PDB file of all heavy atoms in Angstrom:
ATOM      1  N   ILE A  70      61.490 125.091   4.278  1.00 98.00           N
ATOM      2  CA  ILE A  70      61.656 124.484   2.949  1.00 98.00           C
ATOM      3  C   ILE A  70      60.341 123.817   2.552  1.00 98.00           C
ATOM      4  O   ILE A  70      59.768 123.053   3.325  1.00 98.00           O
ATOM      5  CB  ILE A  70      62.781 123.435   2.916  1.00 98.00           C
ATOM      6  CG1 ILE A  70      64.130 124.051   3.317  1.00 98.00           C
ATOM      7  CG2 ILE A  70      62.883 122.826   1.506  1.00 98.00           C
ATOM      8  CD1 ILE A  70      65.278 123.044   3.345  1.00 98.00           C
ATOM      9  N   PHE A  71      59.875 124.138   1.350  1.00 98.00           N
ATOM     10  CA  PHE A  71      58.775 123.429   0.711  1.00 98.00           C
ATOM     11  C   PHE A  71      59.390 122.472  -0.307  1.00 98.00           C
ATOM     12  O   PHE A  71      60.221 122.896  -1.121  1.00 98.00           O
ATOM     13  CB  PHE A  71      57.837 124.405  -0.004  1.00 98.00           C
ATOM     14  CG  PHE A  71      57.087 125.338   0.905  1.00 98.00           C
ATOM     15  CD1 PHE A  71      57.668 126.503   1.368  1.00 98.00           C
ATOM     16  CD2 PHE A  71      55.786 125.040   1.290  1.00 98.00           C
ATOM     17  CE1 PHE A  71      56.977 127.370   2.201  1.00 98.00           C
ATOM     18  CE2 PHE A  71      55.083 125.904   2.127  1.00 98.00           C
ATOM     19  CZ  PHE A  71      55.678 127.065   2.584  1.00 98.00           C
ATOM     20  N   THR A  72      58.976 121.207  -0.277  1.00 98.00           N
ATOM     21  CA  THR A  72      59.597 120.237  -1.179  1.00 98.00           C
ATOM     22  C   THR A  72      58.559 119.311  -1.803  1.00 98.00           C
ATOM     23  O   THR A  72      57.610 118.883  -1.145  1.00 98.00           O
ATOM     24  CB  THR A  72      60.657 119.397  -0.450  1.00 98.00           C
ATOM     25  OG1 THR A  72      61.205 118.418  -1.354  1.00 98.00           O
ATOM     26  CG2 THR A  72      60.094 118.686   0.769  1.00 98.00           C
ATOM     27  N   ARG A  73      58.766 119.028  -3.079  1.00 97.00           N
ATOM     28  CA  ARG A  73      57.951 118.035  -3.780  1.00 97.00           C
ATOM     29  C   ARG A  73      58.487 116.628  -3.544  1.00 97.00           C
ATOM     30  O   ARG A  73      57.758 115.649  -3.751  1.00 97.00           O
ATOM     31  CB  ARG A  73      57.967 118.311  -5.280  1.00 97.00           C
ATOM     32  CG  ARG A  73      57.143 119.495  -5.729  1.00 97.00           C
ATOM     33  CD  ARG A  73      57.388 119.718  -7.207  1.00 97.00           C
ATOM     34  NE  ARG A  73      56.450 120.670  -7.790  1.00 97.00           N
ATOM     35  CZ  ARG A  73      56.569 121.161  -9.014  1.00 97.00           C
ATOM     36  NH1 ARG A  73      57.592 120.790  -9.774  1.00 97.00           N
ATOM     37  NH2 ARG A  73      55.692 122.019  -9.476  1.00 97.00           N
ATOM     38  N   ARG A  74      59.757 116.541  -3.187  1.00 95.00           N
ATOM     39  CA  ARG A  74      60.412 115.252  -3.013  1.00 95.00           C
ATOM     40  C   ARG A  74      60.499 114.914  -1.528  1.00 95.00           C
ATOM     41  O   ARG A  74      60.940 115.734  -0.736  1.00 95.00           O
ATOM     42  CB  ARG A  74      61.816 115.285  -3.628  1.00 95.00           C
ATOM     43  CG  ARG A  74      61.798 115.581  -5.117  1.00 95.00           C
ATOM     44  CD  ARG A  74      63.170 115.484  -5.734  1.00 95.00           C
ATOM     45  NE  ARG A  74      63.116 115.655  -7.180  1.00 95.00           N
ATOM     46  CZ  ARG A  74      64.133 115.444  -8.000  1.00 95.00           C
ATOM     47  NH1 ARG A  74      65.305 115.069  -7.508  1.00 95.00           N
ATOM     48  NH2 ARG A  74      64.005 115.612  -9.306  1.00 95.00           N
ATOM     49  N   GLU A  75      60.093 113.741  -1.170  1.00 96.00           N
ATOM     50  CA  GLU A  75      60.100 113.360   0.234  1.00 96.00           C
ATOM     51  C   GLU A  75      61.531 113.168   0.728  1.00 96.00           C
ATOM     52  O   GLU A  75      62.306 112.409   0.138  1.00 96.00           O
ATOM     53  CB  GLU A  75      59.312 112.068   0.443  1.00 96.00           C
ATOM     54  CG  GLU A  75      59.198 111.663   1.903  1.00 96.00           C
ATOM     55  CD  GLU A  75      58.353 110.433   2.096  1.00 96.00           C
ATOM     56  OE1 GLU A  75      57.757 109.950   1.108  1.00 96.00           O
ATOM     57  OE2 GLU A  75      58.290 109.953   3.247  1.00 96.00           O
ATOM     58  N   PRO A  76      61.910 113.858   1.793  1.00 98.00           N
ATOM     59  CA  PRO A  76      63.279 113.704   2.287  1.00 98.00           C
ATOM     60  C   PRO A  76      63.464 112.398   3.067  1.00 98.00           C
ATOM     61  O   PRO A  76      62.506 111.836   3.609  1.00 98.00           O
ATOM     62  CB  PRO A  76      63.448 114.911   3.214  1.00 98.00           C
ATOM     63  CG  PRO A  76      62.065 115.220   3.682  1.00 98.00           C
ATOM     64  CD  PRO A  76      61.148 114.871   2.538  1.00 98.00           C
ATOM     65  N   VAL A  77      64.709 111.976   3.119  1.00 98.00           N
ATOM     66  CA  VAL A  77      65.072 110.813   3.929  1.00 98.00           C
ATOM     67  C   VAL A  77      65.051 111.191   5.403  1.00 98.00           C
ATOM     68  O   VAL A  77      64.624 110.419   6.263  1.00 98.00           O
ATOM     69  CB  VAL A  77      66.469 110.295   3.525  1.00 98.00           C
ATOM     70  CG1 VAL A  77      66.924 109.165   4.441  1.00 98.00           C
ATOM     71  CG2 VAL A  77      66.474 109.856   2.066  1.00 98.00           C
ATOM     72  N   SER A  78      65.531 112.408   5.702  1.00 98.00           N
ATOM     73  CA  SER A  78      65.541 112.902   7.078  1.00 98.00           C
ATOM     74  C   SER A  78      65.489 114.425   7.062  1.00 98.00           C
ATOM     75  O   SER A  78      65.741 115.059   6.032  1.00 98.00           O
ATOM     76  CB  SER A  78      66.788 112.423   7.836  1.00 98.00           C
ATOM     77  OG  SER A  78      67.958 113.043   7.317  1.00 98.00           O
ATOM     78  N   VAL A  79      65.171 115.001   8.219  1.00 98.00           N
ATOM     79  CA  VAL A  79      65.076 116.449   8.378  1.00 98.00           C
ATOM     80  C   VAL A  79      65.837 116.854   9.635  1.00 98.00           C
ATOM     81  O   VAL A  79      65.741 116.191  10.667  1.00 98.00           O
ATOM     82  CB  VAL A  79      63.607 116.904   8.512  1.00 98.00           C
ATOM     83  CG1 VAL A  79      63.523 118.432   8.576  1.00 98.00           C
ATOM     84  CG2 VAL A  79      62.764 116.364   7.358  1.00 98.00           C
ATOM     85  N   ARG A  80      66.598 117.947   9.528  1.00 97.00           N
ATOM     86  CA  ARG A  80      67.321 118.483  10.678  1.00 97.00           C
ATOM     87  C   ARG A  80      67.006 119.971  10.786  1.00 97.00           C
ATOM     88  O   ARG A  80      66.884 120.651   9.771  1.00 97.00           O
ATOM     89  CB  ARG A  80      68.839 118.297  10.519  1.00 97.00           C
ATOM     90  CG  ARG A  80      69.266 116.879  10.194  1.00 97.00           C
ATOM     91  CD  ARG A  80      70.764 116.765  10.043  1.00 97.00           C
ATOM     92  NE  ARG A  80      71.137 115.492   9.432  1.00 97.00           N
ATOM     93  CZ  ARG A  80      72.368 115.016   9.357  1.00 97.00           C
ATOM     94  NH1 ARG A  80      73.372 115.731   9.849  1.00 97.00           N
ATOM     95  NH2 ARG A  80      72.607 113.851   8.788  1.00 97.00           N
ATOM     96  N   TYR A  81      66.929 120.425  12.020  1.00 97.00           N
ATOM     97  CA  TYR A  81      66.654 121.842  12.267  1.00 97.00           C
ATOM     98  C   TYR A  81      67.838 122.473  12.988  1.00 97.00           C
ATOM     99  O   TYR A  81      68.383 121.893  13.934  1.00 97.00           O
ATOM    100  CB  TYR A  81      65.382 121.999  13.094  1.00 97.00           C
ATOM    101  CG  TYR A  81      64.168 121.427  12.400  1.00 97.00           C
ATOM    102  CD1 TYR A  81      63.682 120.161  12.729  1.00 97.00           C
ATOM    103  CD2 TYR A  81      63.527 122.131  11.381  1.00 97.00           C
ATOM    104  CE1 TYR A  81      62.580 119.626  12.077  1.00 97.00           C
ATOM    105  CE2 TYR A  81      62.427 121.609  10.719  1.00 97.00           C
ATOM    106  CZ  TYR A  81      61.969 120.347  11.070  1.00 97.00           C
ATOM    107  OH  TYR A  81      60.882 119.809  10.405  1.00 97.00           O
TER     108      TYR A  81
END
Side-chain angles (χ1 to χ4, degrees):
I70 301 178
F71 294 83
T72 178
R73 286 174 169 171
R74 300 185 175 189
E75 184 177 354
V77 175
S78 69
V79 184
R80 308 180 193 191
Y81 299 99

